[in-house]
């Protein structure tokens, strides 16, 4: 996080937060922790994600993506295998990374 802060992609501040146990239950200990916030400069690299959590819930998070993968060339492909109603082909390709952050 310090590297992201040094290039202006996140800001930080120390806050006091109540401690939590391994099972995410509050405990009677307050701690000073560092709270990071994405800056406007980082928002062009933000990629909102949703993942399945324990117990069937949905967790939202934001990943930072510093480049985008793009197809460069298809090298070869193998015809689809047919397994009942299911078909699968193997495709070999080259990709490149575009829109790389400086």
């Amino acid at each position: 996080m310090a590297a992201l802060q040094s290039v202006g992609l996140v800001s930080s501040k120390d806050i006091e937060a109540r401690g939590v146990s391994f099972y995410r239950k509050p405990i009677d200990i307050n701690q000073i922790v560092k709270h990071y916030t994405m800056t406007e400069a980082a928002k062009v690299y933000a990629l909102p994600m949703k993942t399945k959590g324990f117990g069937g819930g949905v967790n939202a998070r934001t990943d930072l993506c510093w480049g985008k993968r793009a197809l460069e060339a298809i090298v070869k492909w193998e015809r689809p295998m047919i397994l009942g109603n299911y078909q699968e082909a193997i495709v070999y390709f080259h990709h490149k990374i575009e829109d790389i952050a400086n």
Side-chain angles (χ1 to χ4, degrees):
M1 294 303 288
L4 295 176
Q5 188 172 4
S6 72
V7 294
L9 297 176
V10 296
S11 60
S12 71
K13 65 180 177 180
D14 291 336
I15 62 169
E16 188 172 335
R18 187 162 191 195
V20 293
S21 71
F22 179 75
Y23 300 102
R24 304 199 60 70
K25 296 193 184 224
I27 55 177
D28 290 331
I29 297 174
N30 285 349
Q31 305 171 343
I32 301 295
V33 296
K34 199 160 284 286
H35 177 79
Y36 291 94
T37 304
M38 219 179 347
T39 63
E40 288 298 317
K43 289 185 180 177
V44 296
Y45 305 110
L47 183 63
M49 302 289 288
K50 290 189 178 179
T51 58
K52 289 185 180 178
F54 293 113
V58 176
N59 296 326
R61 71 170 201 250
T62 301
D63 287 352
L64 293 177
C65 182
W66 306 112
K68 294 184 172 66
R69 189 169 46 176
L71 179 64
E72 187 170 39
I74 294 176
V75 178
K76 73 175 188 173
W77 66 286
E78 297 175 6
R79 338 187 291 200
M81 295 185 307
I82 301 172
L83 304 167
N85 292 334
Y86 178 75
Q87 295 185 27
E88 181 176 307
I90 298 175
V91 179
Y92 299 88
F93 62 92
H94 292 172
H95 69 271
K96 59 186 173 184
I97 306 298
E98 294 180 339
D99 300 328
I100 297 174
N102 293 328

